[in-house]
Amino acid sequence: MRQRLEARKLSVDKTSVSCKVTEQDVKKKEEILSTEVRSLLVGGTTLSIAKSKLQESNCQLEGESGYAHLKIVTNKLRKRQQYMISQVSFIYPLKIEAGPSQDQELESFPGGSRLVTKPLSQGSVRILGLPFSMAPFTKMSFFTDKKEVQKLATALGYVAHAVSLIAPYLRVPIRYPLRLGGSKTYIRDYAPYIEPSSSDMSLISTLSQNSKFVEFPLFLDGQDTTRAAYAVFLLNKNIEQLLNFVGEDSLGPRQVLANLKELIRIIQSPDYINYL
């Protein structure tokens, strides 16, 4: 009987210890549960506040000061842009002269290497009566007419000035900034001044921070024809950027005046006001 009694006491002690451990676990779980409940209450309150704000926003959008008001303001802005760019068009009128254009562009066909030259237009575009052609950039020699070279530089100066005016009106930062100087205008290309090797990839971040710009002349007088041709290419890229902004593509890499004329035509069209 004594042995049984001792065994019962040991069993009761073990059970009481187990009960205490279980009680502690229950208390911990209650604390965790109460924390989660508080978090859930805070989340529910935040959700209800966000829902009310969303409803207010929807009401504002549906009201007179909502989307309709935004559309009215956008239309006013577009009309203002049309007016400002019409002034640029008045300063630098672009007119088409009847007759075939001398410039041609290489057209590549996808899936093959065959190239075909095609005329880009049936007339040459002039800016303030001055034409533009890429011929002097490829056939520059000692016997090239200096007056034609000067006219070409003047025309490019006009285009550069027009682009520098149109870009801020559209609030588009052009990729290749211009240093205006009339017929002695330069265009800048921000390119790394150190060429990293393919194996040294650790310099990429340093190069991106320490990149310098290189200026290319938009005129041929005393300049390398390759650098001047590249400057024209960059200028046309700026015009192409503006064309892409209004939802159109470039007419060709050599069609500087035609691209500029197309850009002005699109902006002055009635469809531009409703363009999204």
Side-chain angles (χ1 to χ4, degrees):
M1 291 293 289
R2 286 179 180 177
Q3 289 177 355
R4 289 179 181 179
L5 182 60
E6 293 294 332
R8 290 289 179 87
K9 287 182 179 180
L10 290 174
S11 177
V12 169
D13 291 338
K14 290 179 180 180
T15 303
S16 64
V17 171
S18 177
C19 288
K20 289 181 180 180
V21 172
T22 304
E23 185 178 358
Q24 292 177 354
D25 291 340
V26 169
K27 288 182 179 180
K28 289 181 180 180
K29 290 181 179 180
E30 285 180 351
E31 292 176 355
I32 295 172
L33 183 60
S34 63
T35 303
E36 292 178 352
V37 168
R38 286 194 297 269
S39 301
L40 185 60
L41 291 174
V42 172
T45 305
T46 305
L47 181 61
S48 67
I49 294 172
K51 186 177 180 180
S52 62
K53 288 183 178 180
L54 179 61
Q55 291 176 351
E56 291 177 0
S57 299
N58 289 333
C59 292
Q60 291 177 357
L61 287 175
E62 293 174 357
E64 295 180 354
S65 61
Y67 178 75
H69 179 67
L70 176 63
K71 190 173 182 180
I72 292 172
V73 173
T74 303
N75 289 344
K76 289 182 179 179
L77 176 62
R78 294 285 171 83
K79 289 179 180 179
R80 184 62 178 174
Q81 288 175 341
Q82 285 183 333
Y83 172 76
M84 298 300 294
I85 291 173
S86 69
Q87 299 303 304
V88 177
S89 178
F90 178 76
I91 297 171
Y92 297 113
L94 291 156
K95 296 182 179 180
I96 298 177
E97 181 183 0
S101 175
Q102 296 179 353
D103 285 340
Q104 292 182 337
E105 180 187 6
L106 292 177
E107 179 183 30
S108 61
F109 291 87
S113 58
R114 186 163 61 95
L115 297 177
V116 176
T117 58
K118 62 173 184 177
L120 287 171
S121 64
Q122 295 302 318
S124 60
V125 183
R126 292 173 176 258
I127 181 168
L128 270 179
L130 296 177
F132 173 79
S133 173
M134 290 295 295
F137 292 92
T138 58
K139 301 178 182 179
M140 186 69 177
S141 66
F142 179 78
F143 300 100
T144 303
D145 190 356
K146 301 299 181 182
K147 291 183 178 179
E148 293 299 323
V149 172
Q150 184 62 33
K151 289 180 180 179
L152 179 65
T154 304
L156 289 175
Y158 292 161
V159 174
H161 189 210
V163 171
S164 68
L165 292 174
I166 294 174
Y169 295 158
L170 299 179
R171 302 188 68 181
V172 177
I174 53 178
R175 295 188 182 95
Y176 306 103
L178 295 157
R179 182 163 69 86
L180 300 175
S183 60
K184 301 293 183 182
T185 297
Y186 289 84
I187 190 168
R188 295 175 177 177
D189 183 13
Y190 284 85
Y193 65 98
I194 299 176
E195 292 293 337
S197 61
S198 57
S199 59
D200 190 5
M201 301 302 293
S202 62
L203 293 176
I204 293 178
S205 60
T206 306
L207 288 171
S208 61
Q209 295 175 358
N210 298 330
S211 61
K212 293 183 178 179
F213 64 84
V214 180
E215 286 190 337
F216 294 91
L218 283 166
F219 55 92
L220 285 170
D221 187 17
Q223 300 293 328
D224 182 14
T225 56
T226 304
R227 291 173 58 85
Y230 184 66
V232 175
F233 171 77
L234 295 182
L235 178 61
N236 194 62
K237 279 294 181 182
N238 282 340
I239 303 174
E240 182 180 354
Q241 180 188 358
L242 299 176
L243 279 169
N244 296 154
F245 178 76
V246 297
E248 293 294 331
D249 296 327
S250 172
L251 299 177
R254 296 186 176 188
Q255 299 302 299
V256 177
L257 296 184
N259 282 331
L260 181 60
K261 183 175 178 60
E262 181 68 8
L263 174 65
I264 293 175
R265 184 195 68 79
I266 292 170
I267 296 174
Q268 290 182 331
S269 66
D271 294 336
Y272 176 73
I273 297 178
N274 298 322
Y275 172 73
L276 296 178

